[in-house]
Amino acid sequence: MAGDGDIREKLASFLLSKIAFVTPVPRPSDVGCDFNCVLKKRMGGCDVSGLFFTVQVKGKEDLEYTHADAVNWILNQDNPFFVCLVDTESNSMEIYSTWIRLKK
């Protein structure tokens, strides 16, 4: 049976696929980024790739980043990094940017 994290990731992948090409990061390599994504742009009759970003999927109860290593990891991302909070009861998600980290 799938755990809560698996269900959240499947729902997030489905919802993100409406705006982006979504590639899951395999579990053994998953060190914080659950998905590599490329925004979709419509050109003529087809979708083409746009900007690249990464996503970490969380439940609301898992949101706190209090450990210094986790905070430093977020601060040192080279690509746009988003935290996606998934609510499986309402089949919804909220996406939060970490770009505030660029203010020094």
Side-chain angles (χ1 to χ4, degrees):
M1 184 171 172
D4 286 348
D6 293 328
I7 293 168
R8 284 187 198 112
E9 287 183 20
K10 287 178 182 177
L11 180 57
S13 177
F14 172 74
L15 294 172
L16 285 167
S17 72
K18 302 299 180 183
I19 62 165
F21 300 109
V22 179
T23 303
V25 176
R27 283 291 163 106
S29 302
D30 177 354
V31 290
C33 292
D34 296 310
F35 301 115
N36 292 316
C37 302
V38 178
L39 282 176
K40 291 180 186 178
K41 293 192 290 188
R42 195 79 176 155
M43 291 186 75
C46 53
D47 291 329
V48 297
S49 58
L51 300 173
F52 172 82
F53 61 98
T54 56
V55 174
Q56 183 176 63
V57 177
K58 294 279 193 187
K60 289 191 178 190
E61 65 277 3
D62 301 324
L63 182 58
E64 289 188 39
Y65 293 92
T66 54
H67 195 277
D69 289 341
V71 173
N72 285 330
W73 181 82
I74 291 171
L75 292 174
N76 289 297
Q77 291 298 300
D78 290 327
N79 298 306
F81 174 70
F82 296 88
V83 176
C84 180
L85 295 183
V86 176
D87 183 342
T88 55
E89 292 197 19
S90 66
N91 290 327
S92 65
M93 70 179 180
E94 299 172 5
I95 300 173
Y96 295 93
S97 170
T98 62
W99 285 12
I100 191 73
R101 68 184 162 74
L102 297 176
K103 290 186 174 182
K104 303 237 178 194

